[in-house]
Amino acid sequence: MSLFRRRGRRLSVDEARARTGGDRPEAVLLDVREEFEWKAGHAPGAVHAPLTGLAGGAALPASAQGRPLVVICRSGHRSQQAAQLLAGRGADAVDVKGGMNAWAATGHPVVDERGNSGAIA
C-alpha cells in the first residue's frame, strides 16, 4: 500500500519531517536542488539527487531506491516536477509544499556540506 494515498498530494514541512525523521523513517527526504544549493544548506539526513540528473535519466541514489520518497527543493516547484517524474517511473513520491524555504522558516534544522549551520541558497 502506498504511503501517500492520493496522487499529487503535497506534504507540509511538518508532515515531511515526521515521515522522514527519527530512527526508523517511513520515507526518504530527497533533495532535488542543484549541487551549490545542497552544499549551502539542506535538511539533515536528506539524500541528494538533482532534478537535472533525474530528468536526464539518472538513477536514484541507492539509499533512496525502492523506498517512499518525500521530494523537496527550494520553493516547491522543482520538487513537484521531480515527484511526477519519479511517480512515472513507479516510485511512491510526493513533494513538500514550500520546499526548503518553508522548512527553514518553520525552524527545522538546515546544515551545510560540513554539517554546520546552513542557509538556503
Side-chain angles (χ1 to χ4, degrees):
M1 180 168 104
S2 172
L3 175 63
F4 312 110
R5 293 188 187 120
R6 293 186 304 152
R7 194 169 184 83
R9 181 167 183 261
R10 303 185 81 194
L11 299 181
S12 70
V13 291
D14 290 333
E15 290 173 311
R17 187 165 186 217
R19 292 186 178 189
T20 61
D23 293 334
R24 297 177 64 166
E26 297 175 57
V28 172
L29 185 62
L30 185 71
D31 192 319
V32 297
R33 296 175 300 145
E34 295 302 316
E35 186 75 20
F36 77 93
E37 295 172 292
W38 168 264
K39 286 181 176 180
H42 57 273
V47 174
H48 188 223
L51 176 57
T52 52
L54 294 172
L60 285 169
S63 60
Q65 292 180 8
R67 306 255 334 264
L69 304 170
V70 173
V71 186
I72 197 164
C73 66
R74 184 179 59 227
S75 65
H77 181 72
R78 287 175 285 177
S79 60
Q80 277 188 301
Q81 293 175 339
Q84 289 174 355
L85 180 139
L86 292 166
R89 293 183 186 176
D92 188 5
V94 295
D95 79 297
V96 180
K97 185 177 180 181
M100 286 301 298
N101 286 334
W103 180 278
T106 307
H108 296 315
V110 176
V111 295
D112 68 11
E113 64 181 322
R114 295 185 182 105
N116 299 318
S117 182
I120 308 306

